[in-house]
Amino acid sequence: MDIREIQNLIKFVAKSGATEVKLEMDDVKITIKTTTESGTPETTFVQHVPVSQALPQAAAPQPAAPGAPAAEPAAAAPKADEDSKYVTIKSPIIGTFYRKPSPDKPAFAEVGNSISKGDVVCVIEAMKLFNEIESEVSGKIVKVLVDDSSPVEFDQPLFLVDPS
């Protein structure tokens, strides 16, 4: 279950008037409780992972964790060779990636668009603040690496730009 499905489930429960919903799938348990304080529904979201299995597994891989990130770039190395001529625009913050300033407006940058240094290419929402992300290079957008309305991590690649 991805974050968007969980958010939709929370909204559905809040609108339905149910006071509590529990959902269990594989090793994930989700409990959504709604209460009314001063007439406004308030949604609480709690996600549980079984503690009996999570602790031993979490303790063992920690020393190996530095090796795990090294394995990912090794798997992506063939793709990186063909993309090496492109400049990557990365996320400077953690948040939700949006390609448009609002749902009824066109996207900031499409594949094939020419951009200049300082042009806004997307916005990232973090803690209810929309941060404009500006291009650090001039060139042509070759690929958009993230879907609209998706969560992004710090330093996650967002766009590939051909600087030539």
Side-chain angles (χ1 to χ4, degrees):
M1 201 172 202
D2 68 349
I3 191 75
R4 190 175 299 167
E5 291 173 322
I6 293 170
Q7 289 172 337
N8 288 337
L9 179 62
I10 291 170
K11 290 175 187 174
F12 176 78
V13 171
K15 289 179 183 176
S16 71
T19 57
E20 183 174 348
V21 173
K22 291 184 180 182
L23 177 67
E24 296 181 350
M25 296 176 3
D26 298 326
D27 62 339
V28 176
K29 293 182 182 181
I30 298 174
T31 303
I32 302 171
K33 296 180 183 179
T34 59
T35 58
T36 55
E37 292 179 23
S38 64
T40 308
E42 196 172 292
T43 305
T44 305
F45 169 70
V46 181
Q47 182 173 358
H48 299 278
V49 177
V51 177
S52 61
Q53 294 178 355
L55 290 177
Q57 292 175 354
Q62 284 178 350
E72 290 176 21
K79 187 177 181 181
D81 291 340
E82 67 184 41
D83 293 340
S84 63
K85 64 182 179 179
Y86 302 131
V87 175
T88 305
I89 298 176
K90 297 181 179 182
S91 175
I93 56 175
I94 296 172
T96 304
F97 171 86
Y98 294 103
R99 295 185 60 201
K100 304 176 189 179
S102 66
D104 58 334
K105 304 278 184 184
F108 287 109
E110 295 284 352
V111 173
N113 285 6
S114 293
I115 57 170
S116 300
K117 184 175 181 178
D119 286 353
V120 176
V121 292
C122 65
V123 292
I124 296 181
E125 177 188 8
M127 296 174 39
K128 300 193 184 216
L129 294 175
F130 289 86
N131 302 282
E132 292 182 341
I133 307 304
E134 297 178 352
S135 174
E136 297 174 358
V137 296
S138 296
K140 182 178 176 182
I141 299 285
V142 175
K143 189 171 186 180
V144 180
L145 303 171
V146 180
D147 293 331
D148 196 29
S149 303
S150 298
V152 293
E153 297 292 326
F154 173 75
D155 216 26
Q156 179 177 342
L158 304 174
F159 297 93
L160 288 181
V161 179
D162 185 359
S164 57

